[in-house]
Amino acid sequence: MFFWKGALFLLILHSFILGWYSFIAMLLQKKYKSQANNILIFSLEKKPVQCSKKTRAQKNIFNWYNQWAGKIKINNLQAKKNQKKDVKKNKQETIYMNPWNLFLGIKNNTSFLCWFLKLNFFVLWSLVKKNWWYGVMFAEIVKAKAVSLAPTEALPREILFPWLGQYYRPLWTYVAERKSCQITLFFPSISETPTIPNVSNDRKYEWGGGSWPRILVWDKYSKKRLNSCFQCKDKIETVGPIWFSDSNESLPFIPSRSIAVFNIEPHRISVHQPESTYADWYALFPNITAMFLDNIQSVLESKQFKMVWKYKREISKRADPRIKSLYQKISQKNNVISVLPGIAAERVIEKCKAVISSPFTSTAVIGKSQGIPSVFYDPTQYLRKTDPARHGIPIISGKKSFAIL
């Protein structure tokens, strides 16, 4: 009981800090500029993604949106990642601004100030009466009120959110939607996990209460899974693989006899345990990543193929402590070409003859969409070959089967 009270206190404190931050940031903002012809994309990058001549060839979310047939015709794209400065490039202005941090004029700001002070007293009194949910929702209420005071032209035409596990949309997006702002959730990956035998894989408990008005998924398999969870099925659109991030780094030289290889970063079991069924797989086979990379490298070397290996991200604190030495060992092999993690997988795949992915990474679906032979490789022979998470892509089980392939 003490633990849960402490966790609830921290959650309420965090909400108050965010609410006050949003309030102060709004008062300090300059007068807004019309965003009626703009699109806002929430980004995962450490630095905001920018539109410029140098980035037009990149496989990032901006360029994907520009080539997408379902896009809204606009003058400019924006990427938001905790930035408030303006960046001018090629006579275009890209503004990194939260939709709720807008200077609304002296009259509206004064009204907002009075309302904000009343809200603080009300929430504090509610906490005294043990109505803790007002404290938890404090920051969301502040943002929603700020957006309600914003004129329609101050909001972008569309706001896109990458799916990061958020089944419920922010409260302020309901207000923005009433002001003719399209709210869209998109998947930067297929986001699949293995199905454990004899265990239900029903995800309605996650998505059942979701109310996103529009969801963009990669293929019919993702759409089918979400359709089983939502009552309103016409909100889900199939758009193909969505490019998300890329870097300016050039690819190393890739010979014609090359196979693209993608593994999953092996997190500590304590990280995966509460998040996905990967924990069960890793618990049974703690050396699965070493098996995956060693098997592929040795077989491709015997067949005189180059292994173009791109690991997903820089080694983090969440990673298995043994992974660094494993990566160094693999990268030193004669037939291995290492690719920097910041480079988009799409650029690597289009240079290779085939794609081999660890189940169930999105790179297999990218290869399939480009018409390049693509398989999942399971060195443990644990996963079912009919697992729905495979998205119609073959699963090769065991080193012998892989060598024959």
Side-chain angles (χ1 to χ4, degrees), residues 13 53 108 277 300 309:
L13 179 62
K53 291 181 178 179
N108 278 341
T277 53
L300 293 185
W309 170 51

Side-chain angles (χ1 to χ4, degrees), residues 50-58 60 63 89-92 248:
Q50 298 176 7
C51 283
S52 67
K53 291 181 178 179
K54 292 182 180 180
T55 62
R56 285 176 185 170
Q58 289 186 7
N60 60 33
N63 294 328
K89 288 237 177 184
N90 302 324
K91 299 181 180 180
Q92 253 191 354
N248 290 323

Side-chain angles (χ1 to χ4, degrees), residues 300-315:
L300 293 185
E301 186 176 39
S302 68
K303 305 294 183 181
Q304 298 181 344
F305 274 95
K306 290 291 185 180
M307 172 178 161
V308 183
W309 170 51
K310 177 187 176 299
Y311 50 97
K312 192 169 184 178
R313 58 178 64 90
E314 297 291 349
I315 300 173

Side-chain angles (χ1 to χ4, degrees), residues 20-63:
W20 271 91
Y21 174 81
S22 299
F23 168 71
I24 294 171
M26 176 180 157
L27 295 181
L28 297 179
Q29 286 289 347
K30 297 179 180 179
K31 186 172 177 58
Y32 69 86
K33 298 179 181 179
S34 176
Q35 307 296 316
N37 291 319
N38 292 344
I39 301 297
L40 176 64
I41 301 174
F42 277 69
S43 174
L44 292 178
E45 300 299 306
K46 293 181 180 178
K47 296 181 180 179
V49 184
Q50 298 176 7
C51 283
S52 67
K53 291 181 178 179
K54 292 182 180 180
T55 62
R56 285 176 185 170
Q58 289 186 7
K59 302 289 186 179
N60 60 33
I61 185 62
F62 277 133
N63 294 328

Side-chain angles (χ1 to χ4, degrees), residues 4-19:
W4 291 113
K5 287 184 177 180
L8 181 61
F9 170 78
L10 292 176
L11 187 62
I12 294 173
L13 179 62
H14 179 256
S15 182
F16 263 86
I17 292 173
L18 287 181

Side-chain angles (χ1 to χ4, degrees), residues 105-260:
I106 296 177
K107 182 178 179 181
N108 278 341
N109 273 19
T110 302
S111 173
F112 183 73
L113 173 61
C114 296
W115 174 89
F116 182 77
L117 294 175
K118 290 179 182 178
L119 177 67
N120 276 266
F121 285 117
F122 172 77
V123 172
L124 290 173
W125 177 245
S126 298
L127 291 175
V128 171
K129 297 176 67 176
K130 297 184 179 180
N131 295 332
W132 51 265
W133 45 89
Y134 293 109
V136 173
M137 295 297 294
F138 179 79
E140 287 293 299
I141 294 171
V142 171
K143 294 174 184 178
K145 180 63 175 180
V147 174
S148 72
L149 294 173
T152 301
E153 64 270 17
L155 300 175
R157 291 272 302 280
E158 182 175 13
I159 302 177
L160 294 97
F161 296 82
W163 187 79
L164 305 174
Q166 72 279 33
Y167 301 101
Y168 303 100
R169 52 192 280 208
L171 188 63
W172 61 266
T173 61
Y174 293 92
V175 182
E177 189 178 12
R178 290 203 296 269
K179 292 175 176 284
S180 301
C181 178
Q182 173 69 62
I183 304 298
T184 302
L185 177 73
F186 70 93
F187 280 75
S189 66
I190 60 172
S191 186
E192 293 285 6
T193 57
T195 302
I196 302 301
N198 302 319
V199 175
S200 173
N201 197 38
D202 187 356
R203 302 181 73 172
K204 289 183 180 179
Y205 70 95
E206 297 171 333
W207 287 103
S211 58
W212 293 94
R214 189 189 195 196
I215 302 176
L216 308 181
V217 297
W218 286 32
D219 57 20
K220 63 180 182 181
Y221 299 97
S222 294
K223 184 174 183 177
K224 181 179 179 180
R225 174 167 60 85
L226 287 182
N227 272 341
S228 66
C229 303
F230 281 108
Q231 294 181 352
C232 182
K233 299 182 179 181
D234 58 353
K235 66 174 70 175
I236 306 169
E237 300 178 26
T238 303
V239 298
I242 298 175
W243 312 336
F244 193 65
S245 63
D246 200 357
S247 66
N248 290 323
E249 285 94 350
S250 299
L251 281 172
F253 173 72
I254 298 178
S256 59
R257 287 179 61 83
S258 296
I259 306 294

